[in-house]
Amino acid sequence: MTDDDEPAETFYSEDRWQNWLTRVGEEDLDPESEDFARLYFNLQNDTTIAIAKIITAVEDGHLDEEEALDKLEFINDIVLAEPEFDAENKLLLLDSVQTSLIPVFYAAEEYLIGGAVEEQPLDDNISAAVDAAAEEDEDAALAYLVQAGTQIIDGTEFDGSDIEELDSWLVSEWLNGLDSLQDAFADPEVIEEDED
């Protein structure tokens, strides 16, 4: 099997997501606890690393655009599926993770199709998203953050330290996803992939 023929499961799998769901199901999660936050970031980062690996594989010539988009869709379908939990704290965790990943998936898709969107600087996109959210225009806010995400993938530095100060929960979650995406491209797993 050549690199070009790698199945989508090479980058992510239903079993991998199910293992996370099993762990969520087993843990007694307090939304205010460090364990809750740690699990949130682990679930999020596991997905963004897989997405970063797909993009890196394209840039290294191991995948073409169509194959990469198929693999992104495969991960999207697994990770954004409706979770089957009754407990409110577990649903809150998964909803937060899934929400944070929405602009990541869109940005990855946009980047693969057309590269980085450079209509305005990254910081201006973030500010515009915050302003749009304040006016309850969530679609516009997401669009600005998707543009920012393509720039992060392209190597523009994003400082996520101000995220928690935002009034909009939705934009805060979306920015958490973009922060995780930036971290993913610095992850040893992804860097090693780039060197292969």
Side-chain angles (χ1 to χ4, degrees):
M1 181 179 284
T2 67
D3 285 329
D4 293 341
D5 296 324
E6 285 189 48
E9 289 85 348
T10 304
F11 294 91
Y12 209 81
S13 68
E14 290 186 54
D15 284 348
R16 188 160 156 179
W17 182 246
Q18 189 55 54
N19 287 339
W20 284 116
L21 294 184
T22 299
R23 184 166 164 192
V24 171
E26 289 171 350
E27 297 213 12
D28 182 21
L29 295 170
D30 173 1
E32 302 298 320
S33 70
E34 282 186 23
D35 287 344
F36 187 94
R38 191 178 301 114
L39 195 50
Y40 167 89
F41 286 115
N42 285 341
L43 271 121
Q44 183 189 66
N45 292 343
D46 194 46
T47 306
T48 55
I49 286 170
I51 292 169
K53 282 183 168 184
I54 290 172
I55 293 168
T56 300
V58 173
E59 292 176 338
D60 291 347
H62 297 313
L63 286 177
D64 64 31
E65 178 190 307
E66 187 177 342
E67 290 167 324
L69 291 171
D70 284 347
K71 292 176 194 304
L72 269 184
E73 185 178 0
F74 175 83
I75 300 173
N76 186 311
D77 289 347
I78 292 170
V79 173
L80 298 187
E82 191 75 31
E84 296 179 5
F85 287 114
D86 295 325
E88 197 170 315
N89 57 345
K90 300 180 193 303
L91 288 171
L92 173 65
L93 173 68
L94 287 163
D95 182 51
S96 294
V97 171
Q98 291 173 325
T99 300
S100 75
L101 291 169
I102 288 169
V104 176
F105 280 113
Y106 280 131
E109 183 179 349
E110 183 78 29
Y111 183 82
L112 287 169
I113 292 170
V117 181
E118 302 283 5
E119 290 176 15
Q120 60 182 0
L122 188 143
D123 288 345
D124 290 353
N125 277 318
I126 305 295
S127 298
V130 172
D131 292 344
E135 294 169 11
E136 298 186 359
D137 190 346
E138 293 175 357
D139 289 342
L142 179 58
Y144 284 121
L145 293 185
V146 169
Q147 290 183 32
T150 66
Q151 294 171 337
I152 289 167
I153 292 169
D154 199 42
T156 302
E157 287 290 318
F158 166 54
D159 179 7
S161 60
D162 296 332
I163 289 174
E164 291 177 12
E165 297 172 20
L166 297 177
D167 291 333
S168 169
W169 172 84
L170 195 54
V171 172
S172 292
E173 290 291 4
W174 286 342
L175 286 173
N176 275 330
L178 295 186
D179 196 33
S180 175
L181 181 64
Q182 176 168 267
D183 290 345
F185 279 98
D187 189 277
E189 280 188 61
V190 177
I191 293 169
E192 284 168 17
E193 191 98 3
D194 196 28
E195 292 171 350
D196 286 346

